[in-house]
Amino acid sequence: LDHEMKEIFCASKSVGGEDRVYCFYVGGKMKGSFLETMQAELPKSLLPDEIIEMESLPKLPNGKTDNRA
């Protein structure tokens, strides 16, 4: 895949009793081919409900993504 994204992190959260999937990414535009690939490869329940561009992902002191932030 040819994408401009440098980092991507997806998480699920229950909102009002309904599970939602959020994808956060860093590093430029999310190209349509990436979304098309996700739609072709993933079941509908795993496709992101929201895709959010960020300047940087929150990190823990050890360098891993802080998924609680």
Side-chain angles (χ1 to χ4, degrees), residues 1-59:
L1 298 175
D2 181 25
H3 309 293
E4 297 178 22
M5 295 173 292
K6 295 177 182 171
E7 295 181 86
I8 186 165
F9 176 77
C10 294
S12 63
K13 183 176 182 179
S14 182
V15 177
E18 181 179 321
D19 289 334
R20 297 185 51 85
V21 177
Y22 299 91
C23 283
F24 304 89
Y25 73 97
V26 175
K29 304 282 184 211
M30 180 175 281
K31 293 186 178 179
S33 63
F34 178 74
L35 295 173
E36 291 169 7
T37 300
M38 287 193 336
Q39 291 171 341
E41 299 291 328
L42 296 173
K44 189 174 181 178
S45 62
L46 294 180
L47 291 175
D49 295 298
E50 282 193 56
I51 299 172
I52 303 153
E53 181 180 6
M54 299 182 70
E55 289 186 24
S56 65
L57 295 177
K59 302 285 185 183

